[in-house]
Amino acid sequence: AQSVTQLGSHVSVSEGALVLLRCNYSSSVPPYLFWYVQYPNQGLQLLLKYTTGATLVKGINGFEAEFKKSETSFHLTKPSAHMSDAAEYFCAVSDRGGNNRLAFGKGNQVVVIP
Amino acid sequence: DAMVIQNPRYQVTQFGKPVTLSCSQTLNHNVMYWYQQKSSQAPKLLFHYYDKDFNNEADTPDNFQSRRPNTSFCFLDIRSPGLGDAAMYLCATSRELAGVGNEQFFGPGTRLTVL
């Protein structure tokens, strides 16, 4: 069974500083990988995804993530945090071969400090 | 714009009183999902429909049912809500069940309060 690990439920970052959210997965074969963002009382919005090809993926709002097969990781970064980045971020994986079930990490609540 | 719509956004019900949450989509996607998300937790899949084919997750309580009368609409019925069922309920859609990164599109959610 697939699983996703996101360490540190709350992440504080200063405005203008680097945002780094870590995601590691456990899967017998490399899965599809996703990052979602959730603003308060809203649904999940897709930030970016990795399916195949280039391992550095660029998403919306200036975010990007790099798939590293050797490290089973898909860490999310943004060079310069903005106040509007305060939200919850979920890493998720789904099986390439199967039923499109998403396995979510526990999420990171990002707080941006002015 | 094509989208996933959930009504109502906020729902209050009484302990044991049946409640129905609604989801509609204009994406014409084949698959519709219902998730339960409790405070500070990740979404948990309850069930999904592929077209009219219903698929229940093994650990979804019998208290939760779903109906999909047509491609556009899907309903979540909670027959006898308990206090533990208070949560955000998210509807999502995807074009197909499998394939290259078949992403799921989420609605804004319905926050259910049980008194």
Side-chain angles (χ1 to χ4, degrees):
Chain A
Q2 297 165 321
S3 67
V4 178
T5 301
Q6 289 180 252
L7 295 177
S9 60
H10 285 76
V11 176
S12 294
V13 59
S14 297
E15 190 176 15
L18 171 73
V19 180
L20 170 61
L21 303 180
R22 299 179 187 276
C23 173
N24 289 88
Y25 67 88
S26 172
S27 176
S28 55
V29 296
Y32 297 131
L33 296 152
F34 306 85
W35 275 99
Y36 284 90
V37 61
Q38 186 176 32
Y39 298 99
N41 290 314
Q42 297 290 325
L44 277 67
Q45 181 182 8
L46 182 69
L47 275 177
L48 46 79
K49 65 182 181 183
Y50 172 77
T51 57
T52 187
T55 56
L56 182 62
V57 180
K58 293 187 186 300
I60 62 171
N61 302 340
F63 284 93
E64 62 183 37
E66 186 171 11
F67 168 58
K68 292 188 176 180
K69 183 179 176 180
S70 61
E71 299 178 8
T72 60
S73 69
F74 191 56
H75 301 333
L76 181 72
T77 60
K78 181 175 179 177
S80 177
H82 192 272
M83 295 300 293
S84 61
D85 296 325
E88 183 127 30
Y89 293 79
F90 291 97
C91 181
V93 302
S94 72
D95 187 349
R96 282 178 181 267
N99 50 30
N100 211 31
R101 280 186 179 83
L102 282 174
F104 286 94
K106 293 187 175 181
N108 294 121
Q109 182 69 52
V110 172
V111 175
V112 182
I113 302 166
Chain B
D1 287 340
M3 55 199 309
V4 182
I5 302 159
Q6 290 188 247
N7 286 307
R9 293 292 314 278
Y10 299 89
Q11 176 75 57
V12 180
T13 190
Q14 291 181 331
F15 183 94
K17 184 175 180 181
V19 66
T20 294
L21 309 183
S22 168
C23 176
S24 64
Q25 54 128 342
T26 61
L27 297 160
N28 204 32
H29 282 174
N30 288 314
V31 193
M32 295 187 78
Y33 308 80
W34 279 104
Y35 289 85
Q36 179 192 63
Q37 186 181 24
K38 295 190 174 179
S39 183
S40 301
Q41 295 185 21
K44 177 181 178 298
L45 182 64
L46 295 173
F47 25 60
H48 73 271
Y49 272 96
Y50 180 79
D51 195 14
K52 293 185 186 298
D53 184 22
F54 178 71
N55 295 271
N56 203 24
E57 293 300 297
D59 57 354
T60 298
D62 293 339
N63 199 24
F64 292 86
Q65 305 286 323
S66 186
R67 296 171 284 134
R68 190 179 184 186
N70 53 52
T71 300
S72 300
F73 284 87
C74 194
F75 300 99
L76 170 62
D77 301 308
I78 309 176
R79 292 193 297 189
S80 182
L83 297 179
D85 296 328
M88 174 79 90
Y89 290 88
L90 297 167
C91 175
T93 72
S94 67
R95 186 162 35 87
E96 290 294 339
L97 269 180
V100 179
N102 229 313
E103 67 185 83
Q104 295 185 19
F105 294 81
F106 285 81
T110 294
R111 183 166 294 284
L112 178 68
T113 300
V114 182
L115 300 178

